């Protein structure tokens, strides 16, 4: 890999880390897990770029790697570690709105592929075709995952308001 390609890869990683973290957080619903997911995905992207010499669309490759890594972690039998520390004596300040918390909680309750479809379609603002290509599924499957996921989100939000 040339110095120019390495520099371009470094600029990409530095420039896209925050955006990838936001998507990862929506997928995982946990800050620490999202950081781990982004780190793992970026390592795979860098190794893939070095192995192939260059990648035509680094942005799409990184996004696809992030989503595939997320889905793969949900398939594992042991899932992930769940560490629980001591609870604080007083709760911290709430910096997020109740609606945002409610939507993220409902999003966390969805199956991984539905969650991935909703994040890609509505957070990353990808088209149905681009989402289908990225996840390796048919457009009709993306549409059904979208419809079912949105229905589940709406039901969870309605239930929370009642």
């Amino acid at each position: 890999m040339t110095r120019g390609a390495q520099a371009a890869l470094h600029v990409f990683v530095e420039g896209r880390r925050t955006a990838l973290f936001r998507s990862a957080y929506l997928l995982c619903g946990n800050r620490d897990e999202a950081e781990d997911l982004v780190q793992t995905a970026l390592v795979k992207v860098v190794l893939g770029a070095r192995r192939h010499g260059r990648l035509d669309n680094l942005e799409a490759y990184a996004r696809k790697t992030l989503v595939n890594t997320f889905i793969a972690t949900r398939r594992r039998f042991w899932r992930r570690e769940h560490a629980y520390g001591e609870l604080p004596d007083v709760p911290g300040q709430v910096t997020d709105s109740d609606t945002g918390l409610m939507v993220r909680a409902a999003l966390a309750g969805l199956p991984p592929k539905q969650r991935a479809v909703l994040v890609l379609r509505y957070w990353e603002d990808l088209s149905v075709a681009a989402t289908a290509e990225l996840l390796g599924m048919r457009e009709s499957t993306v549409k059904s995952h979208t419809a079912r996921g949105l229905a589940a989100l709406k039901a969870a939000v309605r239930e929370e308001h009642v």
Side-chain angles (χ1 to χ4, degrees), residues 18-28 37 66 119 123-124:
T18 303
L20 290 172
F21 173 77
R22 289 179 184 142
S23 295
Y25 182 76
L26 288 173
L27 289 168
C28 301
L37 180 61
L66 181 80
V119 168
W123 180 256
E124 294 285 336

Side-chain angles (χ1 to χ4, degrees), residues 95-144:
T95 58
D96 205 72
S97 69
D98 291 339
T99 304
L101 292 172
M102 197 180 339
V103 169
R104 282 197 295 277
L107 194 60
L110 295 177
K113 286 192 178 183
Q114 277 184 4
R115 193 176 334 162
V117 166
L118 291 179
V119 168
L120 290 172
R121 290 278 294 123
Y122 297 104
W123 180 256
E124 294 285 336
D125 201 25
L126 295 181
S127 66
V128 172
T131 303
E133 182 180 335
L134 188 71
L135 294 175
M137 54 178 67
R138 290 189 278 164
E139 289 184 25
S140 60
T141 305
V142 170
K143 290 176 184 178
S144 66

Side-chain angles (χ1 to χ4, degrees), residues 7-74:
L9 187 60
H10 179 73
V11 168
F12 172 79
V13 167
E14 289 298 318
R16 293 299 298 158
R17 182 181 309 210
T18 303
L20 290 172
F21 173 77
R22 289 179 184 142
S23 295
Y25 182 76
L26 288 173
L27 289 168
C28 301
N30 178 311
R31 182 178 183 83
D32 296 327
E33 190 178 347
E35 287 174 355
D36 290 345
L37 180 61
V38 169
Q39 185 68 29
T40 302
L42 287 175
V43 166
K44 290 179 179 182
V45 167
V46 169
L47 292 175
R50 287 183 179 165
R51 183 179 27 215
H52 299 298
R54 71 176 185 87
L55 296 171
D56 293 334
N57 191 346
L58 204 52
E59 175 72 28
Y61 184 71
R63 192 179 302 125
K64 183 172 185 164
T65 303
L66 181 80
V67 172
N68 287 345
T69 303
F70 165 73
I71 291 172
T73 62
R74 295 302 191 255

